[in-house]
Amino acid sequence: MATGPTSPSPSQGERVNTCPQVADEIKQTTCYMCACRCGINVYLKDGKIRYLEGNPDHPVNKGVLCAKGSAGIMQHYSPARLSKPLLRVGERGSGEFKEIEWEEALALATEWLGEVRSRDPRRFAFFTGRDQSQSLTGWWAAQYGTPNFAAHGGFCSVNMAAAGLYSIGGAFWEFGEPDWDHTRYFMLFGVAEDHDSNPIKAGLGRMKTRGQAKFVSVNPVKSGYSAIADEWIGLRPGTDGLFVLALVHELLKAEKIDWEFLGRYTNATWLVIDDPGGASDGLFLRNPEGQALCWDSVREAPVPAADVTAKAAVVGRFDLPDGRAARPAFELLARRYLDKSYAPEAVAARVGIPAATIRRIARELAEAAFEQEVVLDIPWTDWAGRKHDTMVGRPVSMHAMRGISAHSNGFHTCRALHLLQMLLGSIDCPGGFGYKAPFPKPIPPAPLPGGKTVMPDRALGAMPLGNPIGPENLLVDSEGRPTRIDKAYSWEHPLAAHGLMHMVIHNAWAGDPYRIDVLMMYMANMGWNSSMNVQGTLRYLTDKDPDTGDYKIPKIIYSDAYYSEMVPYADLILPDTTYLERWDCISLLDRPISSAHGPGDAIRQPVVKPDRDVRPFQDVLIELGARLRLPGFAYESGAPVYPGGYPDYIVNHERVPGIGPLAGWRGAQGTRHGTGSPNAGQLQRYIDNGCFWTHKLSPAQSHFKYANKGYLDYAKSMGWLPTAEPITLQLYSEILQKFRLAARGHGPIQPPDSERGRIETYFDPLPFWYPPFEEAAVDREEFSLHAITQRPMHMYHSWGSQNAWLRQITARNHLFVHPETAARHGLADDDWVWVISHHGRVKGQVRLMHGVNPQTVWTWNAIGKRRGAWGLDADAPESNRGFLLNHIISELLPQREGGHRYSNSDPVTGQAAWYDLRVRLERCLPEECGETDPFMAPVKAPPRRGVVDPDTLRYGLDLKCREPAVDGRGAAAKEWIGNRHEISLSVAGVADGKGNVKKGDPKGGPGRIPGDSGK
Ligand code: SF4
């Protein structure tokens, strides 16, 4: 009962109870309302979740909680929650299921998967969405023996990741961050406000408060972050690479580049063999030991580039004794980008930005980098033993995300951005971009992709995903045909480091390159917003073989916590828990919570018990592994290796001796960090520490990590690097050139003739720009507009738009159109319009908006829902007025000669080209207005159990004080909850030694929350 002090409200005469009893227990865990992994305190009252707040001690969010995070309660009590295993009894898509027991579900899955494994493991494909357990799921696939595994990265931002890993040994967001405290010029490329949510918001806040930095946002849409930028560059979608290379042109022309940085830390001086037509043309000149060579201008001879005494040339053409010649990589770079085709005047019309603006931005970059350098009085030692008294930084930082990545030219655009960073010398220096541990890694990082050999009842021998370093690492047969179902690591997409999840269903249906027997997916809404060509995808999922009458994809197992649009299209549903009901591991083996200041990882702990018959997917996967007797999951006797499920695995699994999912408190006594034997008390140590572990690098280790002896030694001791050798940043990519040489007929591994031209073109060792494929293929007059999507700040993927509280902010989407464009089409606010691509049409309502590139229309993604899904009412705005642009995006490019259709993806990495879409608009006829189209038949929903009735959602009413405190005039007092530093529990908290606060302090003193030092 609330009994605390009250204070009057001047306007209403109400009394506010400032010290209600808001909880009788507080548990800490990690948010999962988006991928940022903020720490949260969960207030529980009578076993129910009362309130969520940010954990002020957590390194990711420092107490900040966004709208999504706060609304986690409604995610947990969502009417869309699945409640029991389901077996399909009607036709696929009908939503007709019967409930079954877990034993039957697991036995069935084991039977299906076991049969395939004993025959041909390749005929099982396992793909997961935006889950945070990919080091487990990937390892499970490897133990099963299928190469057909990947997570969501292929349709998210693999261009960003791969370009970074092949250029600088790291990448943005989860692998790196700006130095918010020292930067003087921050450029944000293609970042919607749902991505890197709290950390970037907090960082922008810090930076803007400091008041010394300019913030430039490059994005066709001026929403979210762009709206608070000092300057908005609203360029045309897909032209970011051209814009960046024009900046490079200007900087080179003015010689505003960091020569010392280039010479010391990049391959600018490495000699590239100039031997047109030869097998070594374009490769680095190396000595017999394999060391790359540079030209020593004093000795007038090639010497190892790592020889710190060399006076390395950056330009020139040097004859070699064998008749060939060589040039420093920098010369090739300078020749290319100094060409007038990259001049601002030459690109301005295409980019949609005046040449003068491009020139000015280049000047500002140079001014920030070279006139405002940041000098920290921190002595450090480089890899060669050279001592430096200070750390000198070029305070220009950059961050980028899917907006520049999800194009068919995205890989080279992202490479261009890293090239710009390198030329400015602004990588991992004070004020620049900083790597998050365990990055930087060797370029590219190990491992190679597994799956060259696939045998019945055998593990793969390597993880399915990796980073090829040449054609010999491709997964192709003797004819050069793809051997993975998604064609990752084939000649069509050689560096597909995250697979091509968006192609799996199409390819499995088409039998191209082969059919599969079982498809298992987790947290991937492929029946709706995660697929291009939704209608086609649903057809692939329901199409039957006319000869056998069986579905062309015979068996589909799906796990999710919610009744998404994908569920009705699966045969066996394994219901997952919500994120507040399970253990999880946010691992250095996957995507940890590190910062540029040091490594960190985290866990989730169950804060409430499931009230439904559901199980965490990770537990289920481990049990299936044991039932299938997969190596690593079952002993020879058949006994499970991890009988305690996922928490058992988190603690006891060792990927290599001494290295497991969590880095903190290892060793029998929990005294070691990074490496060490398993510690039975490890999870408790995490709980006691707020569910995270961090280590702060010493100041001397904190910058120039690719060449910093102190850091490299530490990284090696932690098992992140095989050696403490320096990592040389790659302006020029020899790996790309190796593929190009194969296309020219060199080497034992040859592409099919049909692929030679494509490899020759797109495996350019220096970044270049080309028009996105759809733009090049369609009639640009007819489809004169770009159409793109973003997610709002308060939503993440499809998760948010089923959330009762978040739906109150956004329950339907509009098509945002620039007023000039609208005027040309005779459109006004709220008009219904057809958005038409070469693939199809979809109907939505218009909103005018000045902050958008006039050649671009855009909308919020994944707001539109299918009727019957997600526990929403039939008349929900999401399914009647909301619309999904995915309907009009094709997963295939138009036919080329010979009839072949490539995936609508980047040719290097296979990244889904969501933002290449070109459209035209047609105003709807009066009789067409009123509801969206395609307007699909509703799916039938399974029974709901233990959920809040969505029609009368009054969650928390019973948790509130029923007996109001009253002031002297009899007015009711309202409850008020502040953050934890401002509340006290009237029935107090006493730490129970397990990191939880229980009621029962006889003195009734203020509650102490785990991790609270009381300061
Ligand atoms: S940014 Fe928001 S939704 Fe994402 S993890 Fe943090 S609190 Fe949760």
Side-chain angles (χ1 to χ4, degrees), residues 198-212:
N198 272 348
I200 205 167
K201 280 181 274 176
L204 286 172
R206 279 216 313 276
M207 186 183 77
K208 287 185 82 77
T209 305
R210 194 161 46 84
Q212 293 175 312

Side-chain angles (χ1 to χ4, degrees), residues 754-796:
S754 56
E755 302 298 337
R756 289 186 194 279
R758 181 165 149 124
I759 296 289
E760 166 79 41
T761 304
Y762 299 111
F763 277 73
D764 193 315
L766 288 170
F768 75 114
W769 184 86
Y770 51 94
F773 289 163
E774 183 163 326
E775 181 174 334
V778 302
D779 182 335
R780 276 185 284 169
E781 297 297 316
E782 181 183 359
F783 299 104
S784 61
L785 297 169
H786 298 265
I788 58 174
T789 61
Q790 299 200 148
R791 290 293 286 158
M793 201 165 264
H794 48 278
M795 303 272 190
Y796 191 70

